[in-house]
Amino acid sequence: MKKKLSQILSLVVCLLMVAAVSLRRDGKLLGHDFRAKQKAETSVKNDTLRMEPDGTMVINTTSLGKDISGYGGAVPLEISVDKKGIVTQVKALPNGETPEFFGRASALFNAWKGKSLKEAEATQVDAVSGATYSSKAIIANMQRGLQYADKASAKAQTSMQFDFSAKNIAGLIVALMAAIIPLFVKNRRYRIAQQVLNIVVLGFWCGTMVSYSAIIGYMSNGMNVVSLLLPCVLLIIAFIYPMFGKKNYYCNHVCPYGSLQELMGKTVHYKVKISGKTIRRLNTFRKVLWGALMVCLWTGLWFDWVNYEPFSAFMVESASWVVIAIALAFALLSAIVMRPYCRFVCPMGSMFKMVG
């Protein structure tokens, strides 16, 4: 019981550490932007779309309706749509209309408020008598703004859906195989096959694995479980499995780079003999390195070190030559030293050890 409680507290500490880094680096936590107010104050006033911290989408029709004129020129509006797709507010931006006439026309705003985007788009609104030009400009701006909001909402909705691409399906299958089969099957040939799949599918094809860069991004922006199901499965294996006695399970059975090192170790029979004293020193080095790197994140001294983890080397087309060089160096070294990066360097593995 005490051990389980200790593991839970360790997991909470890990989450708090990553949350602190997310706030320090991005100013965001689980999608909530704590710098949104400051950004809004410094943003360009005619930005077409901006997102409020509560998920409200605000459409500015300055650019969308630049060709629409009232009596005294352009009549830009701000249209607020909440995360449920309901028009909550319509606000007039500075314009050259006669205040008296525009005041009458602005009564039209209530015709769209409280309606869904589809309902608002379908709403037929007549011009206000005595303020025809202003009314028509408002109606035309609303139509442009609602159409834009509808497209933006549809695009956001699509991004929240499950990715049925062959790549994502294959990655999910391989991850689930690694998560379940080794619990019941202890077979050398199967292990090699799984490691090859980890490298080829999760590594080179999907480019999906647990890294500091990834978990900080998830902590900053939040995670949609449906659209990010594969990363969610990997995070469960990495952080939850150890709480049920499966220490270092992700490192040993799933991690593409760990799999690559282990397979490289099978290519050469000779292995460098490392004394117990040296191993203890290397373990101490790993802990000191991890502490130093975490301080760099918490203080903002060096955020970019997360970009040099060798995991991203699998994405050859976008990886820097430095990362590829680091990944190759440790992969070659693993031919004569068993999993050197995993055992003596990996900062991500050091965090896993806290939970395990």
Side-chain angles (χ1 to χ4, degrees):
M1 184 66 181
K2 288 184 178 180
K3 182 179 179 181
K4 190 68 67 179
L5 179 61
S6 176
Q7 289 176 317
I8 294 172
L9 290 175
S10 297
L11 178 58
V12 171
V13 170
C14 288
L15 292 174
L16 290 175
M17 288 192 300
V18 177
V21 176
S22 298
L23 287 170
R24 182 73 176 82
R25 189 187 74 172
D26 303 325
K28 297 195 294 183
L29 187 62
L30 299 177
H32 182 80
D33 193 344
F34 290 90
R35 298 175 186 168
K37 185 176 180 180
Q38 179 183 354
K39 290 178 181 177
E41 291 173 352
T42 58
S43 64
V44 180
K45 294 186 180 296
N46 66 347
D47 283 347
T48 302
L49 172 66
R50 76 171 188 271
M51 298 297 296
E52 298 294 334
D54 63 356
T56 297
M57 179 169 53
V58 181
I59 307 298
N60 183 320
T61 67
T62 300
S63 297
L64 296 174
K66 60 185 178 182
D67 60 327
I68 300 171
S69 294
Y71 188 80
V75 185
L77 304 175
E78 262 194 1
I79 307 167
S80 297
V81 181
D82 68 16
K83 56 186 178 182
K84 294 182 180 179
I86 305 298
V87 178
T88 57
Q89 184 180 33
V90 181
K91 175 184 173 184
L93 297 174
N95 58 66
E97 299 297 281
T98 303
E100 180 183 353
F101 295 127
F102 190 77
R104 294 181 195 171
S106 61
L108 295 173
F109 294 165
N110 292 324
W112 295 284
K113 289 170 64 175
K115 295 183 178 180
S116 69
L117 285 173
K118 292 296 185 184
E119 291 172 340
E121 283 186 79
T123 299
Q124 299 294 321
V125 181
D126 295 325
V128 175
S129 179
T132 304
Y133 288 104
S134 295
S135 297
K136 288 185 176 180
I138 288 173
I139 294 169
N141 270 276
M142 282 298 300
Q143 290 173 340
R144 295 272 179 92
L146 290 169
Q147 288 170 1
Y148 186 92
D150 196 15
K151 290 179 181 178
S153 179
K155 185 177 180 181
Q157 186 66 28
T158 299
S159 69
M160 301 289 278
Q161 297 175 353
F162 181 74
D163 179 6
F164 284 97
S165 67
K167 178 171 69 174
N168 192 60
I169 295 293
L172 189 58
I173 292 172
V174 170
L176 291 174
M177 287 173 59
I180 299 170
I181 295 178
L183 297 175
F184 307 99
V185 177
K186 308 297 181 183
N187 181 280
R188 181 174 176 273
R189 289 183 178 178
Y190 168 75
R191 181 172 177 80
I192 292 174
Q194 180 68 58
Q195 288 172 334
V196 171
L197 288 172
N198 293 343
I199 296 167
V200 174
V201 179
L202 295 180
F204 287 110
W205 195 12
C206 297
T208 304
M209 55 211 79
V210 180
S211 66
Y212 264 97
S213 179
I215 62 173
I216 292 172
Y218 299 145
M219 184 63 76
S220 294
N221 303 307
M223 290 186 73
N224 177 265
V225 176
V226 176
S227 60
L228 295 173
L229 185 56
L230 174 55
C232 284
V233 170
L234 298 183
L235 289 172
I236 290 171
I237 298 171
F239 290 102
I240 305 302
Y241 268 41
M243 301 178 68
F244 293 90
K246 302 303 177 182
K247 187 175 181 179
N248 297 327
Y249 190 94
Y250 174 85
C251 301
N252 293 330
H253 297 283
V254 186
C255 178
Y257 194 58
S259 297
L260 177 62
Q261 290 177 83
E262 186 166 331
L263 288 181
M264 284 294 294
K266 299 180 186 300
T267 62
V268 178
H269 294 295
Y270 170 79
K271 293 291 179 288
V272 174
K273 293 182 179 180
I274 305 176
S275 66
K277 185 177 181 180
T278 301
I279 289 177
R280 286 192 293 273
R281 287 177 176 175
L282 289 171
N283 285 330
T284 300
F285 165 77
R286 174 185 181 146
K287 294 175 183 177
V288 172
L289 175 64
W290 181 73
L293 292 175
M294 291 305 297
V295 168
C296 287
L297 288 178
W298 292 329
T299 60
L301 185 63
W302 188 30
F303 284 128
D304 288 344
W305 73 257
V306 298
N307 298 323
Y308 293 95
E309 292 179 281
F311 311 124
S312 61
F314 286 102
M315 294 169 277
V316 180
E317 293 182 357
S318 59
S320 71
W321 69 267
V322 176
V323 173
I324 293 175
I326 293 171
L328 285 175
F330 278 102
L332 292 173
L333 182 60
S334 64
I336 56 174
V337 178
M338 186 177 70
R339 298 171 69 117
Y341 183 82
C342 298
R343 295 168 64 200
F344 307 126
V345 180
C346 185
M348 196 70 258
S350 295
M351 179 172 282
F352 295 156
K353 287 180 180 295
M354 286 186 62
V355 181

